[in-house]
Amino acid sequence: MERLIENTMYAARWLLAPIYLGLSLALLALALKFFQEIFHVLPHVFELAEAELILVLLSMIDMALVGGLLVMVMISGYENFVSQLDIDEGKEKLEWLGKMDSGSLKLKVAASIVAISSIHLLRMFMDAQKIPNDKLLWYVVIHMTFVVSAFAMAYVDKLTKH
C-alpha cells in the first residue's frame, strides 16, 4: 500500500507539465501584446513627446522582463519538479539549464519581481504629475516590500547554505 501511495505521489508531478505548457502559451500572449505595442507606436513615433515614448519603451522593457521570468519559471520549474529536458546533441543549450535548483529559482524570481516593480515605479514617476501623492506613496511602499522580501530571502538562503 505504501509503495502504491509513493508511486502515485511521484507520478503526480506530471500534473505540473500542462501548467508549464500553459506558461508557454502565456509567453505567446505576451509576445503578441509586445508586437501589438510596437506596431501601434511606430507610425506615431515622430508625433510622440519624448516622455511619452520613454513610457512606451519602459512598458516594453517590463514585458521583456516578464517574458524572461516566464521562461525561467517554465523551464527550470519543469526540470526541477517534472523531468529533465532532453536537449539533442548539437542544439544550443541554455547555460543555466540543469544548474538552477528550486532555491536559486526562488531568488531569481524575487530579483525579477524587484526589477519589474522598479520599471513600473519608474513609469509612475515619469507620469507623477497625473498620479496623486498617496497613490505614489503606496507604489513605493509596495516596491520596497518586494525589495526587502528579496533581500530577506537571499539572506535566509545564504544562512542555510553555510
Side-chain angles (χ1 to χ4, degrees):
M1 184 64 158
E2 180 181 351
R3 188 180 257 337
L4 175 66
I5 290 171
E6 289 172 355
N7 286 336
T8 303
M9 286 177 22
Y10 188 69
R13 75 189 192 285
W14 283 98
L15 294 173
L16 286 170
I19 293 170
Y20 293 123
L21 185 61
L23 288 178
S24 67
L25 295 176
L27 184 61
L28 174 64
L30 186 65
L32 291 172
K33 197 66 176 167
F34 182 90
F35 285 105
Q36 178 189 26
E37 194 66 32
I38 285 178
F39 290 130
H40 176 75
V41 78
L42 281 180
H44 305 287
V45 72
F46 296 112
E47 302 163 13
L48 291 174
E50 182 181 352
E52 290 177 62
L53 181 60
I54 290 172
L55 285 172
V56 170
L57 294 176
L58 286 173
S59 176
M60 294 170 76
I61 290 170
D62 212 8
M63 284 189 252
L65 289 171
V66 170
L69 179 60
L70 278 169
V71 168
M72 188 173 40
V73 169
M74 179 177 55
I75 292 176
S76 18
Y78 182 87
E79 265 215 330
N80 282 321
F81 301 116
V82 180
S83 178
Q84 281 190 334
L85 292 173
D86 297 321
I87 307 297
D88 291 336
E89 198 67 36
K91 281 197 175 180
E92 183 181 6
K93 187 173 180 179
L94 299 171
E95 185 179 318
W96 52 266
L97 203 58
K99 297 177 185 172
M100 195 179 309
D101 62 359
S102 60
S104 59
L105 175 62
K106 180 174 56 173
L107 292 177
K108 296 237 185 248
V109 167
S112 295
I113 289 171
V114 168
I116 291 164
S117 175
S118 298
I119 296 293
H120 185 73
L121 191 59
L122 182 57
R123 280 190 5 228
M124 294 300 110
F125 283 138
M126 292 281 304
D127 211 16
Q129 67 275 9
K130 296 178 184 173
I131 301 170
N133 286 341
D134 62 326
K135 206 169 190 180
L136 274 177
L137 176 65
W138 278 111
Y139 282 127
V140 171
V141 167
I142 291 168
H143 174 70
M144 290 310 297
T145 302
F146 290 145
V147 171
V148 169
S149 296
F151 273 113
M153 286 170 43
Y155 182 69
V156 167
D157 189 58
K158 183 179 178 182
L159 286 179
T160 58
K161 286 189 177 178
H162 291 302

